[in-house]
Amino acid sequence: MSTHGSNRHRTATLCARATGIRYTRCAQWAADGLITRHQPVPDARTTAQRAFEARVVNVLANALRDEQIDGAVLGVTGAVPTPDGLVLELHPEMAHRVVAELLPAFDRGYGGLRGVPGLRLVGRAGEWLLEDVGSPARIRLTHPDPGWTPRLPQDTELLTELWRGKPASLDRTEAEELTLWRSGRGVPRPLLRDIMLSRLLRRPLVVNEAGAAHGWANAYSHGYSDLVIEWCCGRDRDEVERKLRRSGLAAPPPAGVPLDPAKAKPRARGTIALEDAYVVVRALGSCDAGASSITAESITEANRARYR
């Protein structure tokens, strides 16, 4: 095999192993120049799409935390990422909860927003889209059952579903939260944070390796600045970090988003960074957990019946 052909093969293999896309499609992408050895998974083309995907990751990581099923850390089992959009394949037992957690609601219990500000669900059986109010950004959802319809959450004593009252515009609470997101809450380069988190959502098969041992992993963020994925045993931390790096998680950003070499600094093992934007993968090295006992029913109870 020629060097050129070998590079295409390695690129397509990395793409397939990170996303779940068939190798033949990834190989065609490599032949067309859509993906490369250094960036084997396509980035979103626009800042709006990257920011929307980043907000989705931030919410899912914190909402699902260590309550996943079958190691689907973000509730996702596959992805088809293209420059112009993203398709996510939902875990069948987590699909209702994923949608419920993403839809914006005001929580009177702590006086703040839950869900993704500006996100709206549009569609019908077999075709469901997450859309961003005020931008063309969108994510298409797929489910093993082609006729699947999400159970939409209802208002409760504590939660007011903001998406229901304003399907085409932002509620004031959403607008305030978006302002905080865009300001970065202490993140020097929110654009780089959005790139890192958007890329993570586009590589679900690598992310899900963190939950391989017990069917779940702990995921969380510090405000809007980063994302941490940690687990007790199973996959070696260095192995997961290496796979994320090889998949292009820390590759140079898209054109128009330059890096400042002066801001590059050494990072601890397990920290994957673009300047001050970073993702941490961490194996804790001790295990006192058995196989996951989490079920779709128990998660429903924990979620305060939002989507019954």
Side-chain angles (χ1 to χ4, degrees):
M1 181 183 290
S2 68
T3 301
H4 189 61
S6 179
N7 280 336
R8 285 184 180 175
H9 168 70
R10 286 195 291 268
T11 298
T13 299
L14 289 171
C15 174
R17 290 177 177 174
T19 64
I21 299 172
R22 289 184 179 180
Y23 171 85
T24 51
R25 184 172 185 182
C26 292
Q28 187 61 55
W29 283 0
D32 294 340
L34 179 61
I35 57 177
T36 67
R37 182 74 172 80
H38 298 291
Q39 186 51 283
V41 178
D43 277 331
R45 193 188 314 276
T46 67
T47 57
Q49 182 70 30
R50 295 192 293 266
F52 186 54
E53 293 175 14
R55 297 198 299 274
V56 166
V57 170
N58 178 271
V59 166
L60 289 179
N62 286 285
L64 302 178
R65 294 190 68 112
D66 55 0
E67 294 182 339
Q68 306 99 2
I69 298 173
D70 298 333
V73 175
L74 299 171
V76 176
T77 59
V80 181
T82 66
D84 298 315
L86 176 63
V87 179
L88 295 178
E89 182 177 339
L90 301 180
H91 185 288
E93 292 184 69
M94 297 180 69
H96 292 307
R97 188 179 184 198
V98 166
V99 172
E101 295 288 6
L102 291 174
L103 289 169
F106 184 78
D107 188 335
R108 284 180 288 280
Y110 83 102
L113 184 80
R114 294 195 182 278
V116 177
L119 181 145
R120 300 294 185 268
L121 180 69
V122 179
R124 57 187 180 279
E127 181 72 18
W128 294 98
L129 296 173
L130 305 176
E131 296 188 346
D132 182 32
V133 171
S135 91
R138 59 176 53 193
I139 297 171
R140 186 162 70 88
L141 305 178
T142 63
H143 189 281
D145 176 3
W148 173 76
T149 297
R151 284 190 230 116
L152 298 181
Q154 304 295 321
D155 288 352
T156 67
E157 291 183 3
L158 291 178
L159 295 172
T160 300
E161 303 295 333
L162 302 179
W163 55 273
R164 195 184 300 277
K166 292 197 171 183
S169 61
L170 291 174
D171 178 86
R172 178 178 58 83
T173 306
E174 292 181 282
E176 292 172 352
E177 199 74 15
L178 278 175
T179 298
L180 291 173
W181 176 271
R182 290 164 181 158
S183 72
R185 281 187 173 176
V187 180
R189 298 280 303 278
L191 283 175
L192 294 180
R193 174 209 55 200
D194 291 350
I195 291 167
M196 289 290 286
L197 295 186
S198 168
R199 286 175 173 177
L200 203 68
L201 187 61
R202 290 168 169 246
R203 293 153 171 79
L205 267 62
V206 184
V207 172
N208 289 352
E209 292 201 17
H214 300 299
W216 53 266
N218 190 34
Y220 59 91
S221 65
H222 299 93
Y224 289 159
S225 64
D226 61 5
L227 194 137
V228 179
I229 303 172
E230 60 186 18
W231 61 97
C232 57
C233 63
R235 292 292 187 268
D236 178 73
R237 187 271 316 278
D238 292 343
E239 178 186 358
V240 175
E241 179 183 356
R242 181 170 58 253
K243 288 182 177 181
L244 284 171
R245 289 187 183 279
R246 291 183 67 198
S247 75
L249 187 63
V257 188
L259 289 175
D260 183 351
K263 293 183 179 179
K265 56 184 177 182
R267 293 280 184 174
R269 288 168 61 189
T271 301
I272 307 169
L274 287 175
E275 292 183 5
D276 292 309
Y278 61 94
V279 170
V280 176
V281 290
R282 180 185 299 146
L284 301 179
S286 62
C287 178
D288 58 3
S292 174
S293 61
I294 296 168
T295 65
E297 289 74 21
S298 66
I299 288 177
T300 303
E301 291 298 330
N303 202 35
R304 294 192 305 276
R306 272 195 79 192
Y307 55 88
R308 282 180 175 171

